[in-house]
């Protein structure tokens, strides 16, 4: 038993995580639904009454309860992992990544999931914090609906079904991600 | 009770993405910098297995748990919508270091400031709904 816990508590390699994600996709299909997390942004907008001011949110969100329950499960999963399976968060990042980030003012890269210099409530009082957290969140919410899906809906479900549209979306994800990481983050994070 | 299975699946997903560090800003940065294989291994192995699973479902006409056919809807073809939407999403993904699923899992991990990013993401989705008729699709 202790041995099992020890294995669960060490970082999980990619060849465990990938197959689990594929299994989750399969289970959702088997239950008669599909794997796509960003639909919940639309669902929550609808639950909050968005349908009154905008047709796009005027639908019966009750049919999407399964997805919202799934979403709540992900929060619970994060909490359980944090409380019981995380002796510490530190990651084995590549040395290049750590050196680069140190130059951008992010010390101790990989000790926590998010750079602790930026992701705090206090940093919401700074321009840098507002851009990264508020604008970043906005772009994710806007872009995912415009593209009709996020990493789960397009990169996993869509590519698995060999959908050309999803390939275009994933290429878009990478164009955006590469522009941000190579050209914008260096100046943004050293603000 | 009929929703309980979704809670379990979500929990498995949340634990996995936490333990495999997919929810980490640093792993996303590393991925876009091509400095580590980790994220490519995760997404790549999920997609390869996903293709096999999808083909098996289609070729065996597998039924869902309730006995209905499992339907895959073809996404309506367009370049502008997926490319522009995708680029905007990608910019946000790399900047905030999290896509929608990981945002919620991070909240479970105690990073409450991400609730602000989620609220902002909801606003982004709402604004899209308001102006979608003006955008190229």
């Amino acid at each position: 038993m202790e041995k099992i816990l020890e294995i669960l508590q060490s970082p999980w390699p990619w060849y465990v995580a990938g197959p689990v994600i594929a299994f989750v996709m399969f289970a959702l299909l088997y239950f008669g639904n599909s794997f796509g997390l960003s639909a919940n942004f639309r669902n929550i907008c609808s639950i909050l009454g968005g349908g009154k001011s905008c047709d796009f949110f005027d639908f019966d969100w009750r049919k999407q309860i399964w997805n919202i329950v799934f979403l709540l499960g992900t929060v619970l999963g994060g909490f359980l992992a944090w409380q019981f399976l995380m002796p510490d968060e530190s990651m084995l990042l590549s040395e290049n990544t750590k050196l680069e980030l140190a130059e951008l003012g992010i010390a101790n890269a990989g000790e926590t999931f998010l750079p602790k210099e930026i992701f705090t409530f206090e940093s919401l009082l700074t321009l840098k914090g507002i851009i990264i957290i508020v604008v970043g969140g906005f772009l994710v919410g806007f872009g995912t609906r415009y593209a009709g899906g996020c990493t789960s809906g397009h990169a996993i479900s869509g590519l698995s079904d060999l959908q050309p549209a999803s390939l275009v979306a994933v290429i878009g994800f990478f164009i955006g991600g590469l522009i941000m990481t190579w050209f914008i983050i260096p100046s943004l994070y050293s603000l | 009770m009929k929703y309980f299975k979704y809670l379990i699946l979500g929990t498995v997903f949340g634990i996995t993405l936490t333990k495999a560090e997919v929810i980490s800003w640093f792993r996303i940065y590393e991925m876009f910098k091509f400095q580590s294989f980790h994220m490519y291994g995760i997404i790549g192995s999920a997609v390869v297995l996903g293709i096999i699973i999808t083909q098996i479902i289609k070729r065996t006409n597998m039924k869902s748990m309730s006995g209905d056919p499992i339907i895959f809807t073809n996404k309506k073809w367009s370049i502008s919508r997926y490319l522009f939407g995708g680029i905007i999403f990608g910019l946000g993904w790399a900047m905030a270091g999290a896509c929608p699923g990981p945002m919620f899992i991070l909240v479970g991990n105690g990073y409450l400031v991400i609730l602000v990013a989620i609220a902002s993401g909801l606003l982004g989705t709402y604004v899209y709904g308001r102006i979608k008729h003006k955008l190229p699709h």
Side-chain angles (χ1 to χ4, degrees), chain A residues 56 138 141-148, chain B residues 76 78-82 84-86 88 124-137:
Chain A
F56 187 61
F138 185 92
F142 184 93
T144 190
R145 211 64 273 127
Y146 190 4
Chain B
K76 205 171 144 229
S78 140
I79 292 216
S80 50
R81 164 177 199 182
Y82 299 109
F84 299 150
I88 295 169
T125 296
Y126 181 76
V127 169
Y128 167 74
R130 288 300 292 258
I131 65 169
K132 72 187 280 269
H133 59 281
K134 293 185 188 144
L135 300 168
H137 275 79

Side-chain angles (χ1 to χ4, degrees), chain A residues 33 53 97 100 134 146 161, chain B residues 6 29 35 58 81 120 126:
Chain A
N33 301 111
S53 51
T97 307
E100 268 179 29
V134 179
Y146 190 4
D161 189 25
Chain B
Y6 297 104
Y29 179 89
Q35 284 164 341
K58 285 184 169 176
R81 164 177 199 182
S120 193
Y126 181 76

Side-chain angles (χ1 to χ4, degrees), chain A:
Chain A
M1 196 58 203
E2 261 178 42
K3 185 78 189 153
I4 294 171
L5 193 63
E6 204 183 299
I7 292 171
L8 287 176
Q9 284 184 334
S10 53
W12 295 10
W14 62 266
Y15 51 82
V16 172
V20 172
I21 294 170
F23 165 77
V24 168
M25 183 196 80
F26 168 73
L28 289 172
L29 288 168
Y30 182 68
F31 295 154
N33 301 111
S34 60
F35 181 45
L37 277 150
S38 72
N40 284 312
F41 277 153
R42 189 180 175 203
N43 296 337
I44 296 170
C45 282
S46 180
I47 292 171
L48 294 175
K52 289 189 200 103
S53 51
C54 178
D55 289 349
F56 187 61
F57 304 106
D58 186 13
F59 62 93
D60 187 8
W61 57 264
R62 284 168 192 83
K63 290 195 177 119
Q64 286 279 319
I65 289 177
W66 67 268
N67 209 349
I68 294 174
V69 174
F70 179 81
L71 187 73
L72 292 175
T74 68
V75 178
L76 178 64
F79 180 77
L80 293 177
W82 175 41
Q83 292 297 313
F84 302 109
L85 299 174
M86 272 334 231
D88 79 276
E89 284 179 18
S90 61
M91 286 152 258
L92 290 168
L93 297 176
S94 79
E95 287 305 314
N96 284 343
T97 307
K98 285 188 196 169
L99 286 173
E100 268 179 29
L101 289 171
E103 282 173 26
L104 291 181
I106 297 173
N108 309 320
E111 276 187 9
T112 48
F113 285 137
L114 303 175
K116 47 184 177 296
E117 288 84 352
I118 295 149
F119 289 87
T120 61
F121 283 104
E122 292 79 49
S123 81
L124 286 171
L125 300 171
T126 67
L127 181 63
K128 177 158 78 169
I130 290 172
I131 295 177
I132 292 167
I133 298 171
V134 179
V135 179
F138 185 92
L139 292 172
V140 167
F142 184 93
T144 190
R145 211 64 273 127
Y146 190 4
C150 61
T151 327
S152 51
H154 277 308
I156 308 291
S157 299
L159 291 186
S160 290
D161 189 25
L162 307 172
Q163 292 281 334
S166 291
L167 185 61
V168 177
V170 173
I171 291 170
F173 295 171
F174 266 81
I175 294 173
L178 291 174
I179 292 173
M180 179 58 64
T181 305
W182 288 80
F183 304 112
I184 305 178
I185 281 183
S187 36
L188 184 63
Y189 275 73
S190 45
L191 265 185

Side-chain angles (χ1 to χ4, degrees), chain B residues 36-50:
Chain B
S36 162
F37 176 72
H38 188 74
M39 288 298 303
Y40 294 99
I42 292 175
I43 298 175
S45 61
V47 171
V48 169
L49 277 170

Side-chain angles (χ1 to χ4, degrees), chain B residues 4-131:
Chain B
F4 188 67
K5 54 185 183 288
Y6 297 104
L7 189 72
I8 299 294
L9 267 188
T11 305
V12 168
F13 188 69
I15 290 174
T16 305
L17 264 57
T18 301
K19 288 307 303 173
E21 301 158 356
V22 177
I23 62 171
S24 168
W25 183 95
F26 297 102
R27 286 293 186 196
I28 306 304
Y29 179 89
E30 236 186 7
M31 170 179 78
F32 285 126
K33 278 279 181 162
F34 305 107
Q35 284 164 341
S36 162
F37 176 72
H38 188 74
M39 288 298 303
Y40 294 99
I42 292 175
I43 298 175
S45 61
V47 171
V48 169
L49 277 170
I51 291 172
I52 296 170
I53 290 168
T54 307
Q55 287 301 318
I56 292 175
I57 292 174
K58 285 184 169 176
R59 287 172 194 219
T60 61
N61 292 316
M62 194 189 283
K63 299 280 188 286
S64 72
M65 201 170 67
S66 60
D68 299 314
I70 295 177
I71 299 160
F72 294 89
T73 24
N74 286 326
K75 296 185 200 303
K76 205 171 144 229
W77 174 249
S78 140
I79 292 216
S80 50
R81 164 177 199 182
Y82 299 109
L83 193 62
F84 299 150
I87 291 173
I88 295 169
F89 175 83
L91 289 167
W93 184 16
M95 181 147 77
C99 47
M103 281 187 185
F104 286 89
I105 302 171
L106 280 164
V107 172
N109 271 276
Y111 289 94
L112 298 184
V113 72
I114 296 298
L115 286 168
V116 177
I118 291 173
S120 193
L122 288 171
L123 181 68
T125 296
Y126 181 76
V127 169
Y128 167 74
R130 288 300 292 258
I131 65 169

